[in-house]
Amino acid sequence: MTTITAQQKEHLKVLQREEINGHFTYAKLAGVVKDANNAAVIKHISGEELKHYNVWKSYTGEDIKPNKFKINLYYWIAKILGLTFGIRLMEQGEEKVQVIYSKLLDDVPEAAQILADEEKHEDELMEMLDEESLRYAGSVVLGLNDALVELTGALAGLTFAFKDSRTIALAGLITGISASFSMAASDYLSNKADDDGKNPTRSAIYTGIAYLITVMLLILPFLILSNYMVSLVWTLLNAILVIALFNYYISVARGYNFKQRFFEMAAISMGVALFSFLLGNVISGWLGVKSS
C-alpha cells in the first residue's frame, strides 16, 4: 500500500465523498429513467462510483457518509428540469475535483485509472441523453426570443404612447396572445415543410407555450402596479431574468457559453425596447396622442 501524507489523505476524502454521493445519486436517478438501456447505463455508473469509493477508503481507512441533501437536490433538479440538465450540472460539480486528481497522479497508482473512468462515464452519459425537451430547445428559443424582442419593444412603445398601466396591459395581452398563436402556427408550418424529424405539432406547442409564459411575465407588472414607468422597469428586469435563466439552462444542458449567449440576447432585447420607447414618444407626439 502506498504511503500517503496527511494532506493527500484529506484530498482523498474529498474524492471519496464525491464518489459516494455520485453512487447514491445515480442509483436514485436510474429509477426514474424510462428507457431500460439508459437506466442500465446509469446503474452501471452508480456501481463504478461505489468501487471508486472503496478504493479511496482503502487509503483513508474511513467511512464517509453520503450527503443526503445534495443527493436529493440533484434528484429533484433532474426530475423537474430534466435528466440532461441534472446530470450535466452534477458532472460540472465533479469537474472541480480534477484539480485534486492532478495532485495525486504521481503518488497514488489508482488515481489515473479512476480519472479515466470518470471521463468515460461522462462520455457515456452524454451519448445516452436525448430528451424531448432538448430536441425541441430550438422551438423554445424561437418562442422566447420573439416574445422578448417583440413584446418588450411593444410594451416600451406603448408605455410612452398611452402612459396608463391598464391600457398598456390590455394592448400588450392582445398583442402577445395573438402573436403566440401566430408564432406557433408559423413554427408548425415551417417544421412540416422542412421534415427534419421533429413532430410539427409538438414543436408548435413548445413555441406557443414559451411565448405565452414570456408574455405573462412581461405584462404582469402592468397588471399589478399603477405607475407605468415603474412597471416598465420591472418588465425589463423580468426580461433580463428570463434571458438569464433560460440561457443558464441551455448552457448547462448543451454545454454552450453562457456569457456570450446571455449578453447577445439581452443586448438585442434591450436595444429593441429602447428604440421602441423612443419611437413611441416620437409617434405619439407626431399624432398628437395624449395620455388621459
Side-chain angles (χ1 to χ4, degrees), residues 43-78:
K43 285 180 181 178
H44 171 72
I45 292 175
S46 173
E48 290 286 300
E49 300 282 277
L50 183 60
K51 289 179 182 178
H52 297 164
Y53 167 84
N54 287 324
V55 170
W56 301 138
K57 180 182 174 181
S58 69
Y59 282 96
T60 66
E62 296 182 24
D63 272 315
I64 302 291
K65 291 183 179 180
N67 186 328
K68 292 183 179 180
F69 173 78
K70 195 172 183 179
I71 292 166
N72 287 321
L73 176 65
Y74 282 121
Y75 171 77
W76 284 108
I77 286 175

Side-chain angles (χ1 to χ4, degrees), residues 208-282:
I209 289 175
Y211 201 112
L212 272 175
I213 291 173
T214 309
V215 165
M216 296 310 299
L217 287 172
L218 295 179
I219 291 175
L220 183 63
F222 292 97
L223 294 172
I224 295 176
L225 303 177
S226 58
N227 188 309
Y228 61 89
M229 286 303 297
V230 175
S231 297
L232 178 61
V233 172
W234 187 2
T235 289
L236 296 178
L237 291 175
N238 278 355
I240 292 173
L241 179 62
V242 170
I243 292 169
L245 291 175
F246 178 73
N247 278 290
Y248 178 72
Y249 178 85
I250 291 297
S251 67
V252 171
R254 290 292 197 190
Y256 295 151
N257 184 297
F258 169 75
K259 289 183 179 179
Q260 180 182 349
R261 293 176 64 86
F262 168 73
F263 285 116
E264 180 181 37
M265 197 169 173
I268 292 172
S269 296
M270 296 304 107
V272 170
L274 177 61
F275 175 77
S276 300
F277 184 81
L278 297 174
L279 186 63
N281 183 20
V282 172

Side-chain angles (χ1 to χ4, degrees), residues 4-51:
I4 60 171
T5 65
Q7 185 180 26
Q8 287 174 329
K9 182 177 179 179
E10 290 304 313
H11 288 328
L12 289 170
K13 285 168 69 175
V14 172
L15 297 180
Q16 197 177 343
R17 185 176 293 107
E18 289 295 320
E19 297 293 353
I20 197 63
N21 286 339
H23 164 65
F24 282 107
T25 304
Y26 285 123
K28 200 165 184 177
L29 288 175
V32 301
V33 178
K34 295 179 181 179
D35 185 278
N37 292 328
N38 290 347
V41 170
I42 296 177
K43 285 180 181 178
H44 171 72
I45 292 175
S46 173
E48 290 286 300
E49 300 282 277
L50 183 60
K51 289 179 182 178

Side-chain angles (χ1 to χ4, degrees), residues 86-100:
I87 286 181
R88 278 192 178 271
L89 191 64
M90 188 165 62
E91 289 296 320
Q92 278 190 353
E94 290 183 358
E95 287 174 5
K96 296 176 183 178
V97 303
Q98 290 190 1
V99 177
I100 296 177

